[in-house]
Amino acid sequence: MPRSLRVQPTQLDRVKLALQRNGYPSQRALAEEVGLSLATVNNFLRGKPVDYKSFEELSRQLGFKWKDIANLDLETNTPTKPQSLDFFDTEPDNYSPPYPNGAVPLGSPFYLERKPVEAHIKQEIKKPGTLIRIKAPREMGKTSLLVRILEFAKTQNYHTVSLNLDQVDRPILNDLNQFLRWLCANLARQLHLKSHLDEYWDEDLGSKISCTSYFEDYLLKSLQNPLILALDEAQQIFEHSNLAQDFLPLLRSWYEESKTSPLWQKLRLVIVHSTEIYVPLQLNQSPFNIGLPIQLTHFSEEEVKKLAQCYGLDWEQGEDCQKLMEMVGGHPALIQIALYHLSRREMTLEHLLETSATNVGIYTHHLQRHWLYLKEYPELLTALHSVLPGIERVNLEPIFVHKLTSLGLVKQLESNFVFSCELYRQFFLNHQNYAL
């Protein structure tokens, strides 16, 4: 038996994720549980050699068979040397976090599971004809969650189709017939079916009946197992009111069909969007008062501490965590970006916070995106500036409330509106006198 072993590089992500999944808030907690030094646990999680008995015990504690994760080709008979407790260093075999950008990939140790929400969705997705609505401002983790929903659906042997509506050409969004043909063609493509669109499209019946017939008589009949259709960035539909007024009631009609039709029960819809619908629809036409609503929220302090642990930061005492959250709340993307830079030892937390709302801070691109968007809508920017004085009562028109909360810039606090985090308040305070 080898005197020491190390975790396979390809298994490191799974092992790091297992720390949280088995209820350990930190490496120190695991070390105390098994009676080993923090250095040994740290080496194990970094793919460094540890003695055989420690490797076997740590594997068992995290729910693995040691042979499944051990790098047996790289056994070593040399004693384990003390290692630095820095989670990320300059050694070539050490795992370095990628810059947070877009959806967090499957298997990444830097994904924070939203346990109650994800468990609820997994139960709901199994129900015939279900409709799930996931809403949150941009960069709150919607697409990362969607990726995991679809992965779970695949484990249930469901067919999955995910369509990002940001990828639809603008002329298509301005024409209901073109959009429905685009929808059907992409469904067929992802399901590896021939499109046969013209066989089911009848101008006399109209595009909505033609599309429904295509689903009923072709797509759903071709599939033995349920179909998960995910529409990501669905706010693109809302921004084209003519399309919204026809397509959204169509989605609702499919949902209603599933109550009596076994065929339509195969279809499960997941709609992901960053804004609420703001077009005139009757309540009995909108799909946004049916199905399971999911509102993604900011991370809690405990969740931020867990994520910090994934980045190799020991924030058990909570002081650093509190300081960061006082600036950015628990905004998932802003938290991830800060932890990325701190884990690389590029700056201190104090420097990060001092410069965060400036043009040389780590959030420059995030803040400039908001600034450039608001400059295109002077009335919206004026409405936002009215929140700055912090007066007891701010009167905002409903359309401005809708847009500013959808952007994640303001939130309602009792009967008033305030900035959703200190970062935004400082940034827009510094920019309130800029010419529009």
Side-chain angles (χ1 to χ4, degrees):
M1 193 62 62
R3 293 181 61 184
S4 59
L5 292 167
R6 68 178 72 188
V7 177
Q8 299 177 37
T10 57
Q11 297 295 320
L12 281 173
D13 287 355
R14 289 181 63 213
V15 171
K16 292 170 186 173
L17 282 171
L19 187 71
Q20 291 181 32
R21 288 178 177 170
N22 284 274
Y24 295 106
S26 65
Q27 296 178 30
R28 189 182 303 278
L30 176 59
E32 292 174 354
E33 176 74 18
V34 297
L36 296 172
S37 70
L38 182 57
T40 298
V41 173
N42 187 263
N43 289 336
F44 176 81
L45 294 171
R46 296 164 62 207
K48 301 294 183 181
V50 300
D51 66 87
Y52 167 75
K53 288 187 176 180
S54 296
F55 189 95
E56 184 181 36
E57 176 60 21
L58 288 168
S59 300
R60 185 189 67 78
Q61 205 71 26
L62 294 179
F64 298 106
K65 295 179 180 179
W66 71 267
K67 288 184 179 179
D68 291 343
I69 61 172
N71 195 342
L72 297 176
D73 293 334
L74 294 175
E75 295 174 3
T76 174
N77 292 317
T78 58
T80 303
K81 297 180 181 180
Q83 299 287 335
S84 163
L85 291 182
D86 287 341
F87 196 83
F88 303 114
D89 55 29
T90 57
E91 294 183 28
D93 61 342
N94 202 34
Y95 189 80
S96 178
Y99 183 79
N101 187 24
V104 181
L106 287 171
S108 169
F110 307 105
Y111 177 75
L112 191 62
E113 182 180 358
R114 296 172 182 262
K115 291 185 178 179
V117 168
E118 292 188 33
H120 195 179
I121 292 174
K122 287 176 181 178
Q123 289 301 315
E124 192 72 16
I125 207 74
K126 296 178 184 178
K127 298 178 182 178
T130 194
L131 186 151
I132 300 170
R133 300 176 279 116
I134 301 174
K135 179 206 165 194
R138 287 185 62 177
E139 300 181 314
M140 285 287 289
K142 300 185 300 299
T143 303
S144 297
L145 174 60
L146 177 60
V147 167
R148 282 149 183 86
I149 295 170
L150 296 175
E151 184 65 17
F152 171 77
K154 290 175 183 176
T155 68
Q156 306 299 303
N157 293 319
Y158 296 168
H159 302 281
T160 63
V161 172
S162 182
L163 301 177
N164 187 323
L165 300 185
D166 271 345
Q167 298 176 352
V168 187
D169 293 342
R170 188 164 295 274
I172 293 176
L173 290 169
N174 289 321
D175 186 296
L176 175 67
N177 185 64
Q178 284 192 32
F179 176 77
L180 293 179
R181 288 179 67 92
W182 175 91
L183 175 70
C184 292
N186 275 279
L187 271 158
R189 179 178 61 83
Q190 290 197 31
L191 293 169
H192 305 291
L193 298 171
K194 292 183 178 180
S195 65
H196 295 309
L197 270 179
D198 291 335
E199 296 178 25
Y200 293 89
W201 230 258
D202 188 324
E203 290 184 4
D204 294 330
L205 293 176
S207 56
K208 287 196 286 187
I209 294 296
S210 295
C211 181
T212 300
S213 174
Y214 189 81
F215 268 79
E216 236 173 14
D217 299 331
Y218 181 48
L219 290 180
L220 296 177
K221 282 187 177 179
S222 301
L223 306 175
Q224 296 299 316
N225 296 330
L227 166 64
I228 311 299
L229 171 56
L231 300 178
D232 198 5
E233 304 294 349
Q235 67 276 359
Q236 290 293 340
I237 296 172
F238 309 160
E239 292 169 8
H240 293 77
S241 59
N242 289 336
L243 174 62
Q245 289 175 358
D246 280 314
F247 180 62
L248 295 179
L250 181 62
L251 290 181
R252 184 182 179 111
S253 73
W254 295 346
Y255 174 79
E256 298 292 348
E257 285 284 348
S258 70
K259 294 179 180 179
T260 56
S261 168
L263 185 65
W264 280 100
Q265 288 174 3
K266 289 183 183 180
L267 180 65
R268 289 100 195 263
L269 293 166
V270 182
I271 302 174
V272 183
H273 59 105
S274 61
T275 64
E276 289 283 10
I277 180 171
Y278 210 84
V279 295
L281 287 178
Q282 299 296 323
L283 285 177
N284 62 356
Q285 294 179 323
S286 172
F288 289 88
N289 60 348
I290 56 176
L292 174 66
I294 298 292
Q295 173 81 55
L296 294 189
T297 58
H298 284 194
F299 291 152
S300 68
E301 184 173 336
E302 288 305 310
E303 288 174 322
V304 173
K305 287 180 183 178
K306 287 182 180 179
L307 193 57
Q309 177 65 43
C310 296
Y311 280 90
L313 302 170
D314 186 1
W315 280 12
E316 289 182 67
Q317 301 304 316
E319 293 180 5
D320 289 341
C321 181
Q322 290 174 7
K323 290 177 182 177
L324 180 58
M325 292 189 72
E326 285 172 3
M327 178 60 70
V328 301
H331 190 294
L334 302 182
I335 292 289
Q336 290 268 16
I337 293 170
L339 295 179
Y340 166 82
H341 286 285
L342 293 172
S343 71
R344 293 172 61 86
R345 311 296 191 259
E346 295 179 340
M347 63 182 71
T348 64
L349 178 60
E350 288 68 24
H351 178 72
L352 184 154
L353 296 175
E354 287 174 3
T355 60
S356 60
T358 71
N359 291 330
V360 295
I362 64 172
Y363 299 126
T364 298
H365 295 298
H366 176 90
L367 295 170
Q368 287 298 322
R369 175 173 61 79
H370 280 302
W371 175 247
L372 291 174
Y373 176 83
L374 290 171
K375 283 186 69 176
E376 294 181 10
Y377 302 95
E379 291 182 348
L380 190 58
L381 185 55
T382 300
L384 181 65
H385 282 158
S386 71
V387 180
L388 277 172
I391 57 179
E392 207 169 290
R393 176 80 177 174
V394 177
N395 293 315
L396 293 177
E397 292 185 26
I399 184 64
F400 295 149
V401 172
H402 156 72
K403 290 185 175 180
L404 292 175
T405 54
S406 294
L407 289 168
L409 293 173
V410 302
K411 62 182 178 181
Q412 189 161 3
L413 191 63
E414 296 179 349
S415 60
N416 201 15
F417 294 96
V418 297
F419 278 90
S420 59
C421 68
E422 178 64 12
L423 175 72
Y424 295 149
R425 192 193 69 81
Q426 288 188 18
F427 177 79
F428 286 102
L429 181 63
N430 294 336
H431 286 71
Q432 67 175 326
N433 295 322
Y434 282 31
L436 297 179

